[in-house]
Amino acid sequence: MKVCIAEKPSVARDIAQVIGAKDRKDGYFEGNGYQVTWTFGHFCTLKEPHDYTDQWKYWRLEDLPMIPASFGIKLIDNGGVQKQFKIIEQLVLQCEEVINCGDAGQEGELIQRWVLLKAQCTAPVKRLWISSLTEAAIREGFQKLKDANQYDNLYAAGSARAIGDWLLGMNATRLFTKKFAQGKTVLSIGRVQTPTLAMIVARQKEINAFVSEEYWELKTIYRETEFTAAIDRIKVPDRAEKGLAYLKEHPFEITSFEKKEGKEGNPRLFDLTALQVEANKKYGYTADDTLKYIQNLYEKKMVTYPRVDTTYLSEDLHPKIAGIMQDLTPYAALTAPILANPIPKLKSVFDDKKVTDHHAIIPTGVFPSNLPAEEKRIYDLVARRFIAAFYPECKISNTTVLGKVGQVPFKVTGKQILEPGWKEVYANEVNAKKEEKEEDEEKILPVFVVGESGPHTPRIHKGKTTPPKAFTEATLLRAMETAGKQVDDEEMRELLKDNGIGRPSTRANIIETLFRRKYIEKRKKNIYATQTGIDLIDTIQTELLKSPELTGIWERKLRLIEKGEYAMGTFKQELIQMVIDLTVEVKTANYRVITVAADQPEKKEKDKEDKPKKETKPKEPKKAVVIEEQQCPKCKSHLLKKGNTAYGCANFKVCGFKLPFEVFGKKLSDKQIADLLSKGKTGKAKGWKLTGADNETEGKLTLNTAFELEIEQ
């Protein structure tokens, strides 16, 4: 017998049908010389700390770092898992060959290898490697089975990733929790979740620190076309009024009229992240929901393997494209123009160098019947994107008109679509976002002649500067994918464009984990850090933990392991050294304690970020105190403003209140400043250096009735 092990019962059923194993047994199908069994996701996991030694049952600083001599695996503590594993174990021991039919990716390889390792498999192993679950793909895959050892490096990279996440997650979470948390607070640290949280916190601090400013612009209407003055924004209203008076004294004259034809390139095929971004923008779906919908479509054989990070197809797929197009009968009106000619082998679509394990997500041609509304929408996104990729480019004409009124230059730009090309695929869509509509809208300008002039109607436009936008799931996914703005090193930036923070298949889970741990929250579509999340990032002084750079370094080495160009043992030793250095640094550190109540640790649960703990419901996190949102305690009529050395009343010239960042030889923390403003005094502290005193003083910093600072002993 040949034993096939699939990752899910539904996939096992599909494979069994194709290869003729039609007799249903307890936990497997049998027939035609095959036994087809299954796991359901992760059956095995790395051992937990207490599995190595009783000493590691308890969370104690003195026991850190925890570094096992060698890492072991164990079965997950679940009755269903253990029953099914016994069936797999018996089948594997009696067979002549095992065929690994797990998900064709790094995680799928790891799941199956650990099961075979735990079952002590000695039979030769083959690998089924397919990109869709259609009957034709399964049949072709069985005709081209690979030797399992071709994927040894993939397995090594998966193991290295799991061990790395264990070493950092287990040690750093206990380290920071025991050093800085109070009560039941757990400070969860993860290789991917921590830099992701750091990005959200950094954006929030930018928004909190932003001060909106008014500005004025000069505009004028000439021949029913509105021009804007091509000068710096005016900051003073008097100057704008003078400018308007000047404009009224002079006629409008055209100085340049330029028309250029251009093209808008076709949208690229979807990888998982791009699909999650699009679904969030169009339908507000979370990354996690989109992953579930596309996974369901894959298992229903309607789309190809979804957990991919490429937007290209392999060149050997080119002959199959016309057949898939013909099968897309609900889109026959859109595919007809493509099928009227041979399918072009476009460089923007086909590139073997850009495809590794799998190609971009495309339809298989299987008819999409009886789909729930959400899956239908996701299928429609994939199908239209696939069709649009093969349409002609969109041809446009861009117009730039320059003019002047006296010495003041003016400008207007216009756009005309000459040939819609691929935009025809989206012509009837009504769900496009307003900002996208505005960006795509035509703005056809009249023809102007250089030198012409005439009367015009000038006006002043008043506006306000706007703060940076909070992250949505769409923009956060893009930031996780590229992390471009957070990284200075060019080589690292290029690497992060491909690998970013986390992997495409885990990014949705990372965002959900941050929500579950109450480090972030959602208001409408925007994502904000909670006070707990802000406090955690402020507590972590080790930049490597917060920076996308750590993920970049790991990803680069993991990719090299996958290619067989870096030793897993070397990678492991480097991680161990990093954890040792981190432990020493944090144990000797002396910075603020986090007191926001969060979740009680499930001591037997793993801290790995891809398997979050079941957590008790925490108290509502405290709202972040933003000093600039506080009222001046003296005049009580203006907000505070941040200067170079102090916070001061926005009406300082009249009121005179200020609160220096450093007082009596000590730099004040945000909490101390907040306490002074709300309570009039701080908690007791040591190290105050009073004028004329030889020794440092202990006491509370207070605001007296004259709103001056003094020490209360």
Side-chain angles (χ1 to χ4, degrees):
M1 280 285 182
K2 293 180 180 180
V3 172
C4 305
I5 309 174
E7 197 171 304
K8 282 185 176 178
S10 59
V11 177
R13 199 179 306 117
D14 291 338
I15 290 170
Q17 281 292 114
V18 173
I19 61 176
K22 296 184 179 176
D23 294 338
R24 177 72 195 251
K25 305 281 185 181
D26 184 16
Y28 63 100
F29 297 93
E30 187 174 289
N32 197 27
Y34 291 101
Q35 291 169 323
V36 184
T37 185
W38 58 83
T39 60
F40 17 92
H42 286 270
F43 264 28
C44 297
T45 179
L46 287 173
K47 286 181 178 178
E48 295 172 75
H50 62 82
D51 294 319
Y52 294 103
T53 168
D54 284 346
Q55 192 179 345
W56 289 350
K57 267 186 189 175
Y58 310 100
W59 291 39
R60 293 187 298 226
L61 268 180
E62 57 268 29
D63 293 335
L64 301 178
M66 301 176 291
I67 298 165
S70 63
F71 282 85
I73 57 170
K74 66 174 185 176
L75 270 180
I76 285 169
D77 188 12
N78 173 289
V81 165
Q82 290 175 356
K83 182 189 172 194
Q84 185 64 15
F85 176 76
K86 279 179 184 168
I87 293 166
I88 295 170
E89 193 174 31
Q90 285 165 1
L91 294 176
V92 164
L93 289 174
Q94 296 162 11
C95 73
E96 64 180 75
E97 182 179 270
V98 172
I99 302 170
N100 175 355
C101 303
D103 215 5
Q106 192 183 100
E107 193 175 11
E109 188 68 19
L110 187 68
I111 287 170
Q112 299 293 332
R113 291 285 192 116
W114 277 358
V115 167
L116 293 173
L117 182 66
K118 191 72 185 163
Q120 298 180 330
C121 173
T122 54
V125 182
K126 296 280 188 187
R127 184 62 158 107
L128 175 72
W129 194 270
I130 52 178
S131 283
S132 85
L133 293 173
T134 61
E135 185 179 328
I138 293 169
R139 210 174 287 287
E140 190 182 336
F142 268 87
Q143 286 164 4
K144 298 177 180 175
L145 289 172
K146 318 273 189 188
D147 282 328
N149 58 16
Q150 282 183 237
Y151 299 94
D152 284 352
N153 290 330
L154 185 69
Y155 169 50
S159 292
R161 187 185 294 277
I163 288 168
D165 285 347
W166 191 102
L167 279 167
L168 187 70
M170 289 292 186
N171 283 291
T173 295
R174 291 190 179 195
L175 185 62
F176 279 83
T177 298
K178 295 313 292 178
K179 179 75 179 178
F180 301 112
Q182 282 192 344
K184 295 178 179 179
T185 306
V186 174
L187 304 182
S188 178
I189 309 289
R191 177 179 65 90
V192 180
Q193 73 173 44
T194 305
T196 303
L197 177 60
M199 287 198 301
I200 299 167
V201 169
R203 176 67 57 87
Q204 192 157 324
K205 286 185 173 181
E206 285 174 27
I207 295 167
N208 292 346
F210 182 83
V211 179
S212 183
E213 292 179 354
E214 291 182 337
Y215 65 87
W216 291 263
E217 287 179 321
L218 297 174
K219 292 180 180 281
T220 193
I221 295 172
Y222 172 67
R223 283 182 54 192
E224 297 181 359
T225 304
E226 186 168 70
F227 289 76
T228 302
I231 57 173
D232 290 340
R233 284 174 171 174
I234 300 165
K235 302 289 176 70
V236 185
D238 289 355
R239 196 173 154 225
E241 291 293 345
K242 284 177 185 172
L244 181 64
Y246 176 82
L247 296 181
K248 286 177 178 175
E249 292 171 7
H250 299 82
F252 190 95
E253 183 187 340
I254 297 293
T255 58
S256 171
F257 180 78
E258 195 176 58
K259 231 177 189 184
K260 276 186 183 175
E261 287 195 9
K263 291 177 180 178
E264 282 189 19
N266 303 45
R268 293 212 180 273
L269 295 173
F270 281 124
D271 60 10
L272 178 59
T273 303
L275 180 64
Q276 288 168 320
V277 167
E278 190 71 8
N280 183 256
K281 279 185 185 172
K282 266 193 175 147
Y283 304 119
Y285 295 161
T286 66
D288 199 41
D289 285 341
T290 300
L291 179 55
K292 283 176 194 160
Y293 302 146
I294 194 69
Q295 183 70 25
N296 288 345
L297 289 168
Y298 168 64
E299 288 172 20
K300 290 172 183 175
K301 311 179 185 58
M302 293 173 189
V303 300
T304 58
Y305 185 72
R307 295 165 186 257
V308 298
D309 60 358
T310 181
T311 57
Y312 290 87
L313 300 178
S314 51
E315 289 160 31
D316 62 0
L317 273 173
H318 178 252
K320 299 178 182 178
I321 299 301
I324 297 170
M325 288 279 181
Q326 281 164 349
D327 289 338
L328 295 178
T329 48
Y331 301 90
L334 295 173
T335 58
I338 300 172
L339 293 168
N341 300 298
I343 301 288
K345 201 167 187 179
L346 303 165
K347 284 184 179 177
S348 58
V349 176
F350 300 96
D351 190 341
D352 283 347
K353 290 175 187 170
K354 303 280 176 68
V355 178
T356 50
D357 301 336
H358 295 284
H359 54 71
I361 306 168
I362 60 171
T364 59
V366 171
F367 190 83
S369 56
N370 303 320
L371 291 179
E374 295 85 1
E375 289 177 22
K376 200 172 180 182
R377 282 173 162 179
I378 296 297
Y379 181 85
D380 186 65
L381 287 178
V382 173
R384 285 181 189 271
R385 184 62 68 94
F386 175 64
I387 295 165
F390 292 96
Y391 259 65
E393 289 179 310
C394 170
K395 290 184 180 174
I396 57 169
S397 169
N398 290 313
T399 309
T400 304
V401 187
L402 303 179
K404 66 176 182 177
V405 178
Q407 297 301 310
V408 181
F410 280 82
K411 181 181 179 180
V412 68
T413 57
K415 171 183 167 182
Q416 185 177 0
I417 294 173
L418 304 175
E419 292 175 24
W422 62 266
K423 291 201 174 192
E424 284 182 23
V425 178
Y426 300 98
N428 299 323
E429 287 208 343
V430 291
N431 288 317
K433 292 285 170 248
K434 190 180 173 188
E435 60 263 26
E436 287 173 3
K437 275 186 178 174
E438 285 173 1
E439 195 180 295
D440 289 341
E441 258 178 20
E442 287 187 289
K443 184 181 176 184
I444 300 170
L445 300 177
V447 174
F448 293 97
V449 179
V450 175
E452 71 169 89
S453 74
H456 61 107
T457 312
R459 70 180 182 91
I460 295 171
H461 166 75
K462 183 182 175 183
K464 266 188 172 184
T465 56
T466 54
K469 287 182 179 175
F471 280 115
T472 62
E473 282 212 26
T475 55
L476 181 58
L477 281 165
R478 279 294 181 219
M480 289 174 80
E481 184 183 48
T482 65
K485 287 183 180 175
Q486 280 75 33
V487 178
D488 297 317
D489 179 62
E490 280 302 324
E491 186 188 349
M492 196 70 68
R493 183 180 282 119
E494 282 306 307
L495 175 72
L496 289 175
K497 281 179 184 174
D498 293 330
N499 292 283
I501 299 180
R503 289 153 59 221
S505 57
T506 60
R507 286 180 192 134
N509 189 48
I510 294 302
I511 296 170
E512 290 301 312
T513 299
L514 290 171
F515 278 124
R516 276 195 295 271
R517 288 181 174 152
K518 309 295 180 190
Y519 293 161
I520 60 175
E521 61 188 6
K522 196 180 281 185
R523 295 180 220 149
K524 293 184 180 174
K525 279 179 76 172
N526 291 339
I527 293 171
Y528 298 92
T530 62
Q531 187 59 43
T532 313
I534 293 168
D535 283 352
L536 175 57
I537 293 302
D538 286 347
T539 300
I540 299 169
Q541 300 296 302
T542 309
E543 276 307 310
L544 207 57
L545 284 183
K546 304 193 274 192
S547 160
E549 192 179 350
L550 172 64
T551 294
I553 291 165
W554 281 37
E555 290 296 345
R556 177 166 54 188
K557 289 178 178 174
L558 286 165
R559 276 183 16 161
L560 291 174
I561 291 171
E562 207 170 302
K563 291 176 187 173
E565 295 171 12
Y566 202 83
M568 183 182 164
T570 308
F571 179 76
K572 194 170 139 188
Q573 279 310 120
E574 289 172 346
L575 283 173
I576 288 169
Q577 192 55 52
M578 189 190 88
V579 168
I580 291 169
D581 294 344
L582 175 68
T583 306
V584 171
E585 182 187 327
V586 174
K587 277 185 179 180
T588 56
N590 185 25
Y591 29 98
R592 72 191 179 109
V593 166
I594 294 183
T595 55
V596 178
D599 303 321
Q600 175 69 31
E602 295 285 333
K603 299 290 169 108
K604 291 185 181 179
E605 286 282 341
K606 290 196 67 174
D607 290 317
K608 279 179 64 175
E609 56 203 71
D610 57 343
K611 281 201 174 64
K613 300 183 288 292
K614 288 179 184 175
E615 298 173 334
T616 54
K617 196 171 181 183
K619 294 175 187 173
E620 190 65 22
K622 294 176 187 173
K623 191 176 181 297
V625 177
V626 181
I627 308 299
E628 290 94 325
E629 289 176 4
Q630 305 302 306
Q631 211 172 48
C632 170
K634 188 175 179 184
C635 69
K636 294 186 171 58
S637 55
H638 291 85
L639 294 177
L640 293 176
K641 211 170 183 181
K642 189 174 184 178
N644 292 328
T645 59
Y647 288 104
C649 179
N651 192 23
F652 180 79
K653 287 181 182 175
V654 178
C655 169
F657 176 76
K658 75 170 179 179
L659 183 54
F661 300 154
E662 195 170 304
V663 183
F664 301 127
K666 269 175 77 76
K667 193 175 180 184
L668 300 183
S669 68
D670 284 357
K671 187 179 185 314
Q672 287 173 321
I673 291 170
D675 285 347
L676 275 170
L677 296 170
S678 59
K679 303 172 188 172
K681 61 183 175 183
T682 68
K684 209 169 218 184
K686 294 177 182 178
W688 304 110
K689 293 176 185 171
L690 301 180
T691 312
D694 295 331
N695 300 322
E696 291 180 349
T697 304
E698 182 179 350
K700 297 176 181 179
L701 183 66
T702 63
L703 274 174
N704 64 21
T705 50
F707 295 95
E708 294 164 345
L709 293 166
E710 52 187 38
I711 298 296
E712 180 183 297
Q713 292 176 319

